[in-house]
Amino acid sequence: MTYDISQDSISDSLNTKLIGNYVVYLDSVESTMDIAADLAMQGAAEGTIVIAEEQIKGRGRFDRTWMSPSGKNLYMSLILYPDMRYLHQISMMCAVSIVDTLSSILAEESSISIKWPNDVRVSGKKIAGILVENRILESSEQISIIGIGLNINFDTTEIAEISEIATSISGELGYQIGRLEVINSLCSNLERLYFGIQSGESIKVRWENMLDTIGKRIKLSSGEDIIEGLASSVDEEGNLLLILKNGESLSVNAGEVTSQM
Ligand code: BTN
């Protein structure tokens, strides 16, 4: 079985109307985020996806490096022009789409969850990350570049620094799978949920139910600060509500949960 992908095979495999209506497939890039942002600035159609075989400077949240070895995983940036009213639901929508995709591929008993705000995990190990970069044009139009990195046929056990904290679809299944199947499922799920949001549905409750952070005592690093508290709930915007040791509550809109118990 071949696991190669190409511009044509991606386009042919998709059965979506919007997501992936235009596919840019590249061999090696610094980051698909920059290619997608340039295309959006030039007026690319909403739904355009940029997929690369490898990234030399793949980036994650907090300017971290996103490991992007060639030919193994999915590195995709999606261009959307969402209405400001539901902008906060975009990253929730992506995380839920990835969970839905994994649920259709992995064994039923797999424990798939989201660590707030949008790390997708299997049995507590990160399998996918989402990076949303928003810009507002002079015309007031909102551009969202949504980066998704999903480990597919990546043997994370070979890399000491991530072997304990990361996994991949092949790591969970015990065998490799075709990336087209994953791309097709992910784009269909993104489209279904995006159309739902556009027609006024909220994704927040589904996203909240997938979070493994709620109810846990957590440490959260936010800028220079480390905040400790009980993660009690999330609000409609996706902010995390913490109950601090002194009983006060705090709403956090960004940061990294470094421990949860
Ligand atoms: C994170 O969890 O820190 C987010 C990781 C996002 C990685 C993806 S891979 C495709 C796109 N291009 C990048 O450089 N980053 C995102």
Side-chain angles (χ1 to χ4, degrees), residues 58 85-86 106 108 113 131 182 194 229:
R85 279 173 303 163
Y86 48 74
L106 300 182
E108 224 170 274
S113 60
L131 182 67
V182 182
Y194 189 52

Side-chain angles (χ1 to χ4, degrees), residues 1-255:
M1 182 169 181
T2 170
Y3 300 112
D4 291 348
I5 54 176
S6 65
Q7 181 129 1
D8 286 348
S9 66
I10 297 168
S11 294
D12 291 350
S13 80
L14 294 177
N15 33 34
T16 44
K17 290 191 175 68
L18 179 76
I19 308 295
N21 55 12
Y22 188 59
V23 176
V24 177
Y25 166 77
L26 297 160
D27 189 27
S28 180
V29 298
E30 289 207 338
S31 164
T32 56
M33 298 304 281
D34 302 329
I35 312 270
D38 287 348
L39 288 170
M41 298 300 279
Q42 292 162 28
E46 183 174 55
T48 297
I49 56 176
V50 179
I51 292 179
E53 210 52 52
E54 81 172 335
Q55 298 186 113
I56 309 298
K57 286 191 186 164
R59 60 177 181 268
R61 293 172 71 223
F62 314 110
D63 265 332
R64 295 208 181 111
T65 299
W66 184 259
M67 278 187 197
S68 309
S70 180
K72 299 196 178 296
N73 299 321
L74 175 64
Y75 317 116
M76 174 171 110
S77 291
L78 161 68
I79 300 174
L80 291 181
Y81 302 117
D83 193 298
M84 285 294 276
R85 279 173 303 163
Y86 48 74
L87 190 59
H88 58 276
Q89 294 209 50
I90 295 296
S91 116
M92 301 180 198
M93 166 192 100
C94 293
V96 173
S97 301
I98 297 170
V99 173
D100 284 350
T101 294
L102 292 172
S103 303
S104 69
I105 295 171
L106 300 182
E108 224 170 274
E109 59 277 13
S110 304
S111 160
I112 310 167
S113 60
I114 303 169
K115 186 177 82 162
W116 183 89
N118 57 21
D119 282 356
V120 181
R121 313 201 300 167
V122 180
S123 304
K125 290 185 172 181
K126 184 159 168 170
I127 194 164
I130 298 160
L131 182 67
V132 181
E133 295 180 347
N134 293 317
R135 295 183 192 192
I136 298 176
L137 296 179
E138 272 174 28
S139 61
S140 311
E141 197 176 21
Q142 175 75 45
I143 298 182
S144 283
I145 308 297
I146 295 137
I148 295 177
L150 172 57
N151 294 339
I152 302 181
N153 293 325
F154 187 18
D155 187 355
T156 53
T157 61
E158 278 183 350
I159 300 167
E161 55 186 299
I162 59 164
S163 62
E164 295 298 315
I165 54 169
T167 188
S168 63
I169 292 180
S170 63
E172 296 302 313
L173 289 176
Y175 54 87
Q176 302 211 338
I177 66 162
R179 286 179 292 162
L180 282 180
E181 178 194 337
V182 182
I183 295 169
N184 173 293
S185 167
L186 180 62
C187 289
S188 297
N189 286 321
L190 284 165
E191 175 155 304
R192 178 175 49 82
L193 297 179
Y194 189 52
F195 285 170
I197 289 171
Q198 285 182 320
S199 64
E201 288 166 22
S202 170
I203 192 71
K204 185 246 177 183
V205 173
R206 282 205 68 211
W207 171 73
E208 182 174 19
N209 288 336
M210 291 171 178
L211 288 176
D212 57 26
T213 310
I214 306 301
K216 305 267 172 62
R217 302 218 146 265
I218 67 160
K219 283 189 189 158
L220 180 125
S221 84
S222 173
E224 302 283 281
D225 301 327
I226 304 278
I227 305 165
E228 288 190 47
L230 175 70
S232 68
S233 60
V234 280
D235 67 16
E236 205 51 47
E237 257 73 64
N239 300 315
L240 183 64
L241 303 176
L242 287 178
I243 315 251
L244 305 179
K245 276 191 182 141
N246 63 10
E248 281 176 17
S249 44
L250 180 72
S251 164
V252 197
N253 65 14

